Amino acid sequence: MKPVLLDVAGLSTTFPTGRGPLIALDDVSLSLDRGRTLGLVGESGSGKTVLARSIMGLLPAHAHRQGHVWFEGQDLAALSPRDLRDIWGREIAMVFQDPMTSLNPVMKVGRQITESLRHHLRMGKDEARTAAVDLLDSVGIPEPKRRADEYPHQLSGGMRQRVTIAIALACWPKLLLADEPTTALDVTVQSQILDLLQAKQAERSMAMILVTHDLGVVAGRTNEIAVMYAGRIVERADTATLFAETRMPYTESLLASIPRVERPSHTRLQAIAGRPPDLVTRPGGCRFAPRCPYAQPRCAEEEPPLLPAPTPGHTFACWYPVGTPAGDEALARNTASNEASNKAADRAADGR
Amino acid sequence: MNARYLGRKVLLLVPVLFAVSALSFLLLNLLPGDPAIAILGPSATEQSVAALRHDLDLDQPLPVRYVRWMGHTVTGDLGRSYVSNQPTVEAVRQRLPVTLELLLLSQLLALALAIPLALLAASKPNGLLDRASTSTAFAFLAIPNFMLGVLLIYLFAVRVHLFPATGYTPFHDHPIENLRAMALPAVTLGVAELAVYLRLLRSDLIATLQQDYITMAQAKGMSRNHILLRHALRPSAFSLVTAAGLNLGRLIGGAFVVEYLFALPGIGSLTVESIFKRDYIVVQGTVLLVAVGYVLANFAVDVLYGVLDPRVRHARATA
Ligand SMILES: Nc1ncnc2c1ncn2[C@@H]1O[C@H](COP(=O)(O)OP(=O)(O)O)[C@@H](O)[C@H]1O
Ligand code: SF4
Ligand SMILES: [Mg+2]
């Protein structure tokens, strides 16, 4: 049997800082099969980019990475930089967040595509040029021949992101890592880019990890979703299961903050109160405890492990899961004590 | 290169050249007292002073003189020396190749060493090579031209007879001898430039290597050398090109010293000699030449920006 396409085991990434080591990625494991899509969701700073780059091995020199990244049975973490370069761009490709900065401003768009083709696929000049124009055409760029001879600044943001997608797709990678590919774009073109990625993924049956801070983006587009918080995966399930059987209070909070078309436009989104923990001086216990509406004394003491739920493929890390008797009870207890303290505060105010 | 962009640049050049020529013209008129007496010296006879005044149109009002002088200048007549009676243009024609060769060689030397060193240093910031080249660069920057020149003459001409200490052989007479004679002057002049270029390019390269598009090129599997040369070098060359253009003024000053030190018959030594001989017409001619050269060099830098960065080219063509 062929090994699974991607199997990440116990991946941790630390950055040394003046205040001590910053644990950006803490013991993350996940796997992804050929042709499958995974949505990687979490607030800004939760470690999504670091995870994507740790999978590739494309980290700053001072970063310290531990763990294994099995890709088709080969541990990428054990490869030399030279061998990794044969994987990058060819087997695993990446689309970056900001197309305004991820294209070389002084190189023609066509050249930025042909250089991969010539390097990895050993294409000749003319062959690569034809292939590049075809690629531009296939990602929906009008007049691809003319565009190939233009520089990035002559294209709009959406067009530039199409170009970076064409670059990523050039050598038919088996895995595409798309790191917030629409965050920097106009709302009007966001869904076009997501549709394009989805179409290309299906057409090539390529595996894809779609990174986003917006659960709404991955809702209808990925097979599975992994939710990250403070450098850990805290819940993972098939997309439908995650929405129907949300167990982790953080996932529930993210769901509450999705903008919905059917909601009147003036409805206030419920942003998650508080901030994620400092990754250098993080206290023990559950990382979400200071912001969690379900939190109990135990949460501050013991970190909940990522354990399987009854539904196959569903895992989550929480002591008082949403929609379970323990969770309901915890929420009720917190609501009651909140009301009591509010009343006490009101009384104190009245008495004055 | 876009024709409209170039056309605009050339148009902008005209008023600058005009101003530069006016300043060179005024130079002679800024001499204290009567320029004719300044040129001929205090012992000149009344007749010869009057003749010279007439010759130089000094009996005419300033605007008339300027128009006449401009008329001569654009037809290639820069007057003649009152010491040797040689036309200034002729003197310049003899001396200019020496100075141009010195400038060119020193710049080529500086760039040929600075670019690869900067690439190596920037690919491993704070590595051994980076630190070594930084401290060496600062050491060279701190040594004045003439001291370095004297040191080089002592080491490589006096102690070890590798190069001649002074003298000049025209290139077309004897290319090898010519290059031997130019070697020490070019090194003397180029070393400080090398240090500046190395530092500028290194720090710009390090900044460029932090850019997203470099990470993107890495993610495409491009090799380190390919990324340095094809992706990082060109966008990092702006300060270098700017410095090379602006430095030309400093460099010409340096060339004057170096030519004098190594007894090279260039524009620098021509100017210095002419000043000592109060041969002001020749001085005026060389000053005009240097000023125009400086303006043209900066014009070339401006055009180079457009070559280096397509955004500049397009923005300026449509502005
Ligand atoms: N090069 C780096 N050096 C130090 N800290 C970093 C570096 N890159 C990321 N981090 C830290 O790692 C954490 C996760 O960052 P990131 O993966 O970029 O978050 P996300 O992509 O989810 O917004 C953040 O706290 C960030 O400050
Ligand atoms: S473990 Fe406790 S604090 Fe953490 S998410 Fe669950 S209930 Fe909230
Ligand atoms: Mg990110």
Side-chain angles (χ1 to χ4, degrees), chain B residues 5-250:
Chain B
Y5 171 72
L6 215 60
R8 283 175 55 88
K9 293 266 139 243
V10 173
L11 268 180
L12 287 174
L13 203 56
V14 173
V16 179
L17 284 175
F18 185 77
V20 159
S21 72
L23 287 174
S24 312
F25 167 75
L26 282 174
L27 190 72
L28 189 66
N29 296 277
L30 289 177
L31 291 172
D34 189 333
I37 297 179
I39 288 171
L40 295 175
S43 55
T45 65
E46 200 126 317
Q47 278 154 310
S48 57
V49 170
L52 182 59
R53 286 183 60 88
H54 181 72
D55 226 18
L56 291 177
D57 290 334
L58 286 177
D59 42 6
Q60 303 287 330
L62 199 68
V64 175
R65 271 155 51 203
Y66 177 62
V67 171
R68 288 195 186 171
W69 177 81
M70 257 321 258
H72 291 146
T73 301
V74 295
T75 55
D77 178 5
L78 290 176
R80 54 176 63 235
S81 159
Y82 283 89
V83 179
S84 65
N85 211 27
Q86 186 187 34
T88 307
V89 172
E90 185 54 31
V92 164
R93 203 190 53 74
Q94 285 172 3
R95 305 292 195 105
L96 190 59
V98 180
T99 304
L100 286 182
E101 187 187 354
L102 178 63
L103 292 179
L104 196 72
L105 281 179
S106 66
Q107 291 300 284
L108 282 181
L109 186 81
L111 289 173
L113 287 171
I115 293 173
L117 279 175
L119 285 167
L120 283 171
S123 67
K124 260 207 172 152
N126 298 319
L128 189 65
L129 190 117
D130 186 25
R131 278 176 308 178
S133 67
T134 300
S135 32
T136 318
F138 278 121
F140 277 127
L141 262 179
I143 306 178
N145 266 339
F146 64 90
M147 263 181 64
L148 183 66
V150 170
L151 188 73
L152 288 176
I153 291 176
Y154 175 72
L155 288 178
F156 297 108
V158 178
R159 293 299 294 257
V160 190
H161 301 277
L162 269 178
F163 302 102
T166 59
Y168 176 76
T169 317
F171 188 79
H172 50 83
D173 285 2
H174 201 314
I176 306 277
E177 276 311 307
N178 168 272
L179 289 179
R180 278 190 62 205
M182 292 306 262
L184 292 184
V187 169
T188 307
L189 195 56
V191 150
E193 307 302 307
L194 162 65
V196 173
Y197 296 164
L198 170 61
R199 293 303 298 166
L200 279 177
L201 185 58
R202 170 203 171 269
S203 62
D204 281 8
L205 272 169
I206 288 175
T208 302
L209 290 173
Q210 307 293 320
Q211 299 289 317
D212 277 359
Y213 59 83
I214 298 297
T215 315
M216 167 104 165
Q218 281 177 294
K220 283 155 82 175
M222 297 294 119
S223 72
R224 211 182 60 157
N225 287 347
H226 179 93
I227 289 174
L228 278 172
L229 292 172
R230 293 302 178 123
H231 285 267
L233 184 57
R234 212 168 107 182
S236 310
F238 282 85
S239 309
L240 180 71
V241 167
T242 309
L246 292 178
N247 258 0
L248 198 77
R250 216 182 56 146

Side-chain angles (χ1 to χ4, degrees), chain A residues 88-89 101 104 112 115 120 153, chain B residues 212 218-220 226 231 314:
Chain A
W88 291 347
T101 57
N104 191 325
Q112 303 196 40
E115 65 175 7
H120 288 300
H153 74 272
Chain B
D212 277 359
Q218 281 177 294
K220 283 155 82 175
H226 179 93
H231 285 267
H314 292 117

